[in-house]
Amino acid sequence: MQNREQVTQAILLAKVQKGITWQQVAEQVGQSKEWTTAGCLGQMTFNAEQAAVVAKIFDLDENAEAWLQVVPYKGSFTEAVPSDPLLYRLYEMINVYGSTIKSLIHEEFGDGIMSAIDFSMDIQREENSAGDRVSIGLSGKFLPYKSY
């Protein structure tokens, strides 16, 4: 394989062919399903041990295993506004509620940002009689801007 994008495509093909879940992959890798999925989709860097596990699960060669250990170019959107309906709705949520989230974070913490590096995410199904709900928890370290 010539690049990380080809490795991602091979992973997705093997995942479909094998009928395995991201949770099953995560259990073997030893990380959360959210982080492991991001890694398999080309957004995180696996260490050598993790890359070997992923390569074995998806029947990848040594070249692909090496690509899994390269720091990726982060960001997966190929257009300014995503066209995929689920991604568009997340984009819409930030577009509608982003200024509210920003205002509340600044009021609580001061001037700074929420890290996407020192970060965790949790995605869960919430059963509801009116239709199951998606719960997305995001937790990032607050990083204040410094005066100098």
Side-chain angles (χ1 to χ4, degrees):
M1 292 183 207
Q2 301 298 314
N3 57 51
R4 185 59 180 88
E5 292 78 23
Q6 289 178 348
V7 175
T8 298
Q9 292 306 312
I11 287 171
L12 291 172
L13 177 62
K15 181 183 181 297
V16 170
Q17 291 173 335
K18 292 174 175 267
I20 57 178
T21 67
W22 292 124
Q23 180 63 46
Q24 291 169 325
V25 176
E27 288 168 0
Q28 292 183 55
V29 170
Q31 297 292 326
S32 72
K33 70 180 181 293
E34 294 81 8
W35 186 89
T36 302
T37 303
C40 289
L41 295 178
Q43 297 300 306
M44 296 294 160
T45 308
F46 290 106
N47 65 31
E49 181 181 322
Q50 294 163 337
V53 170
V54 171
K56 182 176 180 186
I57 292 169
F58 295 112
D59 299 322
L60 302 174
D61 63 22
E62 290 177 359
N63 190 32
E65 187 176 330
W67 276 111
L68 292 171
Q69 298 172 68
V70 173
V71 176
Y73 182 87
K74 302 218 188 239
S76 60
F77 291 154
T78 57
E79 64 256 342
V81 177
S83 60
D84 177 84
L86 187 113
L87 294 177
Y88 176 80
R89 292 297 176 225
L90 292 170
Y91 176 85
E92 178 184 37
M93 284 180 234
I94 293 299
N95 199 24
V96 172
Y97 295 105
S99 59
T100 300
I101 294 167
K102 176 181 170 46
S103 181
L104 292 170
I105 289 172
H106 288 288
E107 184 174 275
E108 178 71 24
F109 293 92
D111 189 13
I113 63 170
M114 182 176 111
S115 176
I117 296 170
D118 190 343
F119 177 85
S120 64
M121 172 176 38
D122 183 50
I123 299 174
Q124 298 294 325
R125 174 189 294 258
E126 289 181 7
E127 293 188 21
N128 187 298
S129 61
D132 288 356
R133 302 179 66 81
V134 177
S135 174
I136 302 173
L138 307 174
S139 176
K141 180 179 181 181
F142 181 74
L143 301 171
Y145 284 102
K146 297 188 322 186
S147 298
Y148 54 94

Short mmCIF file of all heavy atoms in Angstrom, two decimals, residues 102-148:
data_model
loop_
_atom_site.label_atom_id
_atom_site.label_comp_id
_atom_site.label_asym_id
_atom_site.label_seq_id
_atom_site.Cartn_x
_atom_site.Cartn_y
_atom_site.Cartn_z
N LYS A 102 -19.31 27.75 23.46
CA LYS A 102 -18.15 28.63 23.66
C LYS A 102 -18.40 29.60 24.80
O LYS A 102 -17.56 29.76 25.69
CB LYS A 102 -17.85 29.39 22.37
CG LYS A 102 -16.73 30.41 22.48
CD LYS A 102 -16.54 31.12 21.14
CE LYS A 102 -15.63 32.31 21.18
NZ LYS A 102 -14.39 32.20 21.85
N SER A 103 -19.55 30.23 24.82
CA SER A 103 -19.88 31.20 25.87
C SER A 103 -19.89 30.56 27.25
O SER A 103 -19.35 31.11 28.21
CB SER A 103 -21.23 31.85 25.57
OG SER A 103 -21.55 32.80 26.55
N LEU A 104 -20.50 29.38 27.34
CA LEU A 104 -20.57 28.69 28.64
C LEU A 104 -19.20 28.21 29.11
O LEU A 104 -18.89 28.28 30.30
CB LEU A 104 -21.57 27.54 28.57
CG LEU A 104 -23.04 27.99 28.42
CD1 LEU A 104 -23.93 26.80 28.12
CD2 LEU A 104 -23.51 28.73 29.67
N ILE A 105 -18.38 27.73 28.20
CA ILE A 105 -17.02 27.31 28.57
C ILE A 105 -16.22 28.51 29.06
O ILE A 105 -15.55 28.45 30.09
CB ILE A 105 -16.31 26.59 27.39
CG1 ILE A 105 -16.94 25.21 27.17
CG2 ILE A 105 -14.80 26.48 27.65
CD1 ILE A 105 -16.46 24.50 25.92
N HIS A 106 -16.31 29.64 28.35
CA HIS A 106 -15.56 30.84 28.77
C HIS A 106 -16.06 31.37 30.11
O HIS A 106 -15.27 31.81 30.94
CB HIS A 106 -15.62 31.92 27.69
CG HIS A 106 -14.79 31.58 26.50
ND1 HIS A 106 -13.42 31.61 26.51
CD2 HIS A 106 -15.15 31.19 25.26
CE1 HIS A 106 -12.95 31.25 25.33
NE2 HIS A 106 -13.99 30.99 24.55
N GLU A 107 -17.38 31.30 30.32
CA GLU A 107 -17.92 31.77 31.59
C GLU A 107 -17.43 30.89 32.75
O GLU A 107 -17.11 31.39 33.83
CB GLU A 107 -19.44 31.73 31.53
CG GLU A 107 -20.13 32.28 32.77
CD GLU A 107 -21.62 32.35 32.58
OE1 GLU A 107 -22.10 33.36 32.03
OE2 GLU A 107 -22.31 31.38 32.97
N GLU A 108 -17.35 29.60 32.53
CA GLU A 108 -16.95 28.66 33.58
C GLU A 108 -15.44 28.61 33.78
O GLU A 108 -14.95 28.51 34.90
CB GLU A 108 -17.48 27.26 33.24
CG GLU A 108 -17.10 26.17 34.21
CD GLU A 108 -17.81 26.27 35.56
OE1 GLU A 108 -18.90 26.88 35.61
OE2 GLU A 108 -17.26 25.76 36.55
N PHE A 109 -14.66 28.66 32.68
CA PHE A 109 -13.22 28.42 32.75
C PHE A 109 -12.36 29.65 32.47
O PHE A 109 -11.20 29.68 32.83
CB PHE A 109 -12.81 27.32 31.75
CG PHE A 109 -13.34 25.97 32.08
CD1 PHE A 109 -14.55 25.54 31.55
CD2 PHE A 109 -12.64 25.10 32.90
CE1 PHE A 109 -15.05 24.27 31.84
CE2 PHE A 109 -13.12 23.84 33.20
CZ PHE A 109 -14.33 23.43 32.67
N GLY A 110 -12.89 30.63 31.74
CA GLY A 110 -12.11 31.77 31.31
C GLY A 110 -11.74 31.65 29.85
O GLY A 110 -12.26 30.79 29.12
N ASP A 111 -10.82 32.49 29.41
CA ASP A 111 -10.43 32.53 28.00
C ASP A 111 -9.48 31.39 27.68
O ASP A 111 -8.39 31.30 28.25
CB ASP A 111 -9.77 33.88 27.70
CG ASP A 111 -9.52 34.10 26.22
OD1 ASP A 111 -10.07 33.34 25.39
OD2 ASP A 111 -8.76 35.04 25.90
N GLY A 112 -9.90 30.49 26.81
CA GLY A 112 -9.07 29.35 26.44
C GLY A 112 -9.83 28.43 25.51
O GLY A 112 -10.87 28.80 24.96
N ILE A 113 -9.31 27.23 25.38
CA ILE A 113 -9.90 26.25 24.46
C ILE A 113 -10.04 24.89 25.14
O ILE A 113 -9.42 24.64 26.18
CB ILE A 113 -9.06 26.09 23.17
CG1 ILE A 113 -7.66 25.53 23.51
CG2 ILE A 113 -8.98 27.40 22.42
CD1 ILE A 113 -6.86 25.10 22.31
N MET A 114 -10.84 24.04 24.55
CA MET A 114 -10.93 22.64 24.98
C MET A 114 -10.01 21.84 24.06
O MET A 114 -10.14 21.89 22.84
CB MET A 114 -12.37 22.14 24.82
CG MET A 114 -12.56 20.71 25.28
SD MET A 114 -14.28 20.21 25.17
CE MET A 114 -14.18 19.04 23.83
N SER A 115 -9.09 21.12 24.65
CA SER A 115 -8.13 20.35 23.88
C SER A 115 -8.79 19.20 23.14
O SER A 115 -9.67 18.52 23.66
CB SER A 115 -7.05 19.78 24.81
OG SER A 115 -6.16 18.97 24.09
N ALA A 116 -8.35 18.98 21.91
CA ALA A 116 -8.72 17.78 21.17
C ALA A 116 -7.54 16.81 21.17
O ALA A 116 -7.57 15.78 20.49
CB ALA A 116 -9.13 18.13 19.74
N ILE A 117 -6.49 17.13 21.94
CA ILE A 117 -5.33 16.26 22.09
C ILE A 117 -5.44 15.52 23.42
O ILE A 117 -5.38 14.30 23.46
CB ILE A 117 -4.03 17.07 21.99
CG1 ILE A 117 -3.90 17.67 20.59
CG2 ILE A 117 -2.82 16.19 22.32
CD1 ILE A 117 -2.79 18.67 20.45
N ASP A 118 -5.60 16.26 24.51
CA ASP A 118 -5.84 15.66 25.83
C ASP A 118 -7.36 15.53 25.92
O ASP A 118 -8.04 16.39 26.47
CB ASP A 118 -5.27 16.55 26.93
CG ASP A 118 -5.27 15.88 28.29
OD1 ASP A 118 -5.99 14.87 28.46
OD2 ASP A 118 -4.56 16.38 29.18
N PHE A 119 -7.89 14.46 25.35
CA PHE A 119 -9.30 14.39 25.00
C PHE A 119 -9.81 12.95 25.09
O PHE A 119 -9.07 12.01 24.86
CB PHE A 119 -9.42 14.88 23.54
CG PHE A 119 -10.79 14.82 22.94
CD1 PHE A 119 -11.68 15.86 23.14
CD2 PHE A 119 -11.18 13.75 22.16
CE1 PHE A 119 -12.95 15.83 22.57
CE2 PHE A 119 -12.44 13.70 21.59
CZ PHE A 119 -13.33 14.75 21.80
N SER A 120 -11.07 12.82 25.42
CA SER A 120 -11.73 11.51 25.33
C SER A 120 -13.16 11.71 24.84
O SER A 120 -13.72 12.80 24.93
CB SER A 120 -11.71 10.78 26.68
OG SER A 120 -12.47 11.50 27.64
N MET A 121 -13.72 10.63 24.32
CA MET A 121 -15.06 10.66 23.76
C MET A 121 -15.76 9.38 24.15
O MET A 121 -15.14 8.32 24.24
CB MET A 121 -14.96 10.77 22.23
CG MET A 121 -16.25 10.64 21.50
SD MET A 121 -16.15 10.89 19.71
CE MET A 121 -14.60 10.16 19.24
N ASP A 122 -17.06 9.47 24.38
CA ASP A 122 -17.86 8.30 24.72
C ASP A 122 -19.16 8.37 23.94
O ASP A 122 -19.88 9.37 24.03
CB ASP A 122 -18.12 8.26 26.23
CG ASP A 122 -18.87 7.02 26.66
OD1 ASP A 122 -18.46 5.91 26.29
OD2 ASP A 122 -19.89 7.17 27.36
N ILE A 123 -19.45 7.35 23.17
CA ILE A 123 -20.69 7.28 22.40
C ILE A 123 -21.50 6.11 22.91
O ILE A 123 -21.01 4.98 22.93
CB ILE A 123 -20.40 7.14 20.89
CG1 ILE A 123 -19.60 8.35 20.40
CG2 ILE A 123 -21.70 6.98 20.10
CD1 ILE A 123 -19.14 8.25 18.97
N GLN A 124 -22.72 6.39 23.31
CA GLN A 124 -23.59 5.36 23.89
C GLN A 124 -24.99 5.44 23.30
O GLN A 124 -25.42 6.49 22.86
CB GLN A 124 -23.69 5.54 25.41
CG GLN A 124 -22.40 5.40 26.17
CD GLN A 124 -21.82 4.00 26.13
OE1 GLN A 124 -22.56 3.02 26.13
NE2 GLN A 124 -20.50 3.91 26.08
N ARG A 125 -25.69 4.31 23.36
CA ARG A 125 -27.10 4.25 23.01
C ARG A 125 -27.89 4.44 24.29
O ARG A 125 -27.60 3.80 25.30
CB ARG A 125 -27.43 2.89 22.41
CG ARG A 125 -28.92 2.68 22.14
CD ARG A 125 -29.23 1.25 21.74
NE ARG A 125 -28.63 0.92 20.47
CZ ARG A 125 -29.30 0.87 19.32
NH1 ARG A 125 -30.59 1.07 19.30
NH2 ARG A 125 -28.68 0.56 18.19
N GLU A 126 -28.86 5.34 24.23
CA GLU A 126 -29.78 5.52 25.35
C GLU A 126 -31.15 5.02 24.91
O GLU A 126 -31.74 5.57 23.98
CB GLU A 126 -29.90 7.00 25.74
CG GLU A 126 -28.70 7.57 26.41
CD GLU A 126 -28.88 9.03 26.80
OE1 GLU A 126 -30.00 9.58 26.66
OE2 GLU A 126 -27.90 9.63 27.23
N GLU A 127 -31.61 3.96 25.55
CA GLU A 127 -32.92 3.43 25.20
C GLU A 127 -34.00 4.41 25.64
O GLU A 127 -33.93 4.98 26.73
CB GLU A 127 -33.11 2.06 25.82
CG GLU A 127 -32.17 1.02 25.22
CD GLU A 127 -32.45 -0.39 25.66
OE1 GLU A 127 -33.57 -0.68 26.12
OE2 GLU A 127 -31.52 -1.21 25.53
N ASN A 128 -34.99 4.61 24.78
CA ASN A 128 -36.06 5.56 25.04
C ASN A 128 -37.31 5.04 24.35
O ASN A 128 -37.25 4.61 23.19
CB ASN A 128 -35.67 6.93 24.50
CG ASN A 128 -36.65 8.02 24.87
OD1 ASN A 128 -37.82 7.96 24.49
ND2 ASN A 128 -36.17 9.00 25.59
N SER A 129 -38.44 5.08 25.04
CA SER A 129 -39.69 4.55 24.48
C SER A 129 -40.12 5.31 23.23
O SER A 129 -40.83 4.77 22.38
CB SER A 129 -40.81 4.59 25.53
OG SER A 129 -41.04 5.93 25.94
N ALA A 130 -39.70 6.55 23.08
CA ALA A 130 -40.05 7.33 21.90
C ALA A 130 -39.04 7.13 20.76
O ALA A 130 -39.15 7.76 19.72
CB ALA A 130 -40.12 8.81 22.27
N GLY A 131 -38.07 6.27 20.96
CA GLY A 131 -37.02 6.02 19.97
C GLY A 131 -35.67 6.19 20.63
O GLY A 131 -35.45 7.17 21.36
N ASP A 132 -34.79 5.25 20.41
CA ASP A 132 -33.47 5.30 21.04
C ASP A 132 -32.75 6.59 20.68
O ASP A 132 -32.95 7.16 19.61
CB ASP A 132 -32.64 4.09 20.64
CG ASP A 132 -33.13 2.81 21.29
OD1 ASP A 132 -34.07 2.87 22.11
OD2 ASP A 132 -32.56 1.74 21.00
N ARG A 133 -31.92 7.04 21.62
CA ARG A 133 -31.20 8.30 21.48
C ARG A 133 -29.70 8.04 21.41
O ARG A 133 -29.22 7.04 21.91
CB ARG A 133 -31.54 9.21 22.66
CG ARG A 133 -33.05 9.47 22.78
CD ARG A 133 -33.40 10.34 23.95
NE ARG A 133 -32.91 11.70 23.83
CZ ARG A 133 -33.49 12.67 23.12
NH1 ARG A 133 -34.59 12.41 22.45
NH2 ARG A 133 -32.98 13.88 23.09
N VAL A 134 -29.00 8.95 20.80
CA VAL A 134 -27.54 8.92 20.71
C VAL A 134 -26.99 9.86 21.76
O VAL A 134 -27.38 11.02 21.82
CB VAL A 134 -27.05 9.36 19.31
CG1 VAL A 134 -25.53 9.39 19.26
CG2 VAL A 134 -27.62 8.47 18.23
N SER A 135 -26.09 9.36 22.60
CA SER A 135 -25.44 10.19 23.60
C SER A 135 -23.96 10.28 23.26
O SER A 135 -23.27 9.27 23.18
CB SER A 135 -25.62 9.59 25.00
OG SER A 135 -24.88 10.32 25.95
N ILE A 136 -23.48 11.50 23.05
CA ILE A 136 -22.07 11.74 22.72
C ILE A 136 -21.47 12.58 23.83
O ILE A 136 -21.88 13.72 24.04
CB ILE A 136 -21.91 12.46 21.37
CG1 ILE A 136 -22.56 11.66 20.24
CG2 ILE A 136 -20.43 12.73 21.08
CD1 ILE A 136 -22.59 12.39 18.91
N GLY A 137 -20.51 12.02 24.55
CA GLY A 137 -19.81 12.75 25.59
C GLY A 137 -18.42 13.12 25.11
O GLY A 137 -17.69 12.27 24.63
N LEU A 138 -18.06 14.39 25.21
CA LEU A 138 -16.75 14.88 24.82
C LEU A 138 -16.08 15.47 26.05
O LEU A 138 -16.68 16.27 26.76
CB LEU A 138 -16.87 15.96 23.74
CG LEU A 138 -17.69 15.61 22.49
CD1 LEU A 138 -17.83 16.84 21.60
CD2 LEU A 138 -17.05 14.46 21.75
N SER A 139 -14.85 15.08 26.31
CA SER A 139 -14.13 15.58 27.47
C SER A 139 -12.72 15.96 27.04
O SER A 139 -11.92 15.10 26.66
CB SER A 139 -14.08 14.51 28.56
OG SER A 139 -13.32 14.95 29.65
N GLY A 140 -12.44 17.26 27.08
CA GLY A 140 -11.11 17.73 26.72
C GLY A 140 -10.54 18.62 27.79
O GLY A 140 -11.27 19.37 28.45
N LYS A 141 -9.25 18.55 27.99
CA LYS A 141 -8.57 19.39 28.97
C LYS A 141 -8.74 20.86 28.58
O LYS A 141 -8.62 21.21 27.41
CB LYS A 141 -7.09 19.04 29.03
CG LYS A 141 -6.28 19.86 30.01
CD LYS A 141 -4.83 19.43 30.01
CE LYS A 141 -4.02 20.24 31.00
NZ LYS A 141 -2.61 19.82 30.97
N PHE A 142 -9.02 21.71 29.57
CA PHE A 142 -9.10 23.15 29.30
C PHE A 142 -7.70 23.71 29.24
O PHE A 142 -6.86 23.46 30.12
CB PHE A 142 -9.90 23.87 30.37
CG PHE A 142 -10.01 25.34 30.10
CD1 PHE A 142 -10.84 25.81 29.10
CD2 PHE A 142 -9.23 26.25 30.81
CE1 PHE A 142 -10.94 27.17 28.82
CE2 PHE A 142 -9.31 27.61 30.54
CZ PHE A 142 -10.16 28.07 29.54
N LEU A 143 -7.43 24.46 28.18
CA LEU A 143 -6.12 25.08 28.00
C LEU A 143 -6.31 26.59 27.93
O LEU A 143 -6.82 27.12 26.94
CB LEU A 143 -5.47 24.58 26.69
CG LEU A 143 -5.26 23.07 26.59
CD1 LEU A 143 -4.83 22.69 25.19
CD2 LEU A 143 -4.24 22.62 27.62
N PRO A 144 -5.94 27.30 28.99
CA PRO A 144 -6.11 28.76 29.00
C PRO A 144 -5.08 29.44 28.11
O PRO A 144 -3.96 28.96 27.95
CB PRO A 144 -5.90 29.12 30.47
CG PRO A 144 -5.01 28.06 31.00
CD PRO A 144 -5.37 26.80 30.24
N TYR A 145 -5.51 30.56 27.52
CA TYR A 145 -4.56 31.39 26.80
C TYR A 145 -3.65 32.06 27.82
O TYR A 145 -4.08 32.46 28.89
CB TYR A 145 -5.27 32.44 25.95
CG TYR A 145 -5.88 31.86 24.71
CD1 TYR A 145 -7.24 31.61 24.63
CD2 TYR A 145 -5.10 31.55 23.61
CE1 TYR A 145 -7.81 31.07 23.50
CE2 TYR A 145 -5.64 31.00 22.46
CZ TYR A 145 -7.01 30.76 22.41
OH TYR A 145 -7.55 30.23 21.28
N LYS A 146 -2.36 32.18 27.50
CA LYS A 146 -1.40 32.79 28.41
C LYS A 146 -1.18 34.24 28.04
O LYS A 146 -1.27 34.63 26.88
CB LYS A 146 -0.04 32.06 28.32
CG LYS A 146 -0.11 30.61 28.75
CD LYS A 146 1.24 29.92 28.86
CE LYS A 146 2.24 30.26 27.82
NZ LYS A 146 3.47 29.47 27.89
N SER A 147 -0.90 35.02 29.05
CA SER A 147 -0.47 36.40 28.84
C SER A 147 1.04 36.40 28.78
O SER A 147 1.71 35.68 29.51
CB SER A 147 -0.93 37.29 29.99
OG SER A 147 -2.33 37.30 30.07
N TYR A 148 1.59 37.25 27.94
CA TYR A 148 3.05 37.35 27.85
C TYR A 148 3.47 38.73 27.46
O TYR A 148 2.72 39.55 27.05
CB TYR A 148 3.64 36.30 26.89
CG TYR A 148 3.05 36.31 25.51
CD1 TYR A 148 3.66 37.04 24.49
CD2 TYR A 148 1.89 35.61 25.21
CE1 TYR A 148 3.12 37.05 23.22
CE2 TYR A 148 1.36 35.62 23.94
CZ TYR A 148 1.97 36.34 22.94
OH TYR A 148 1.44 36.36 21.69
#
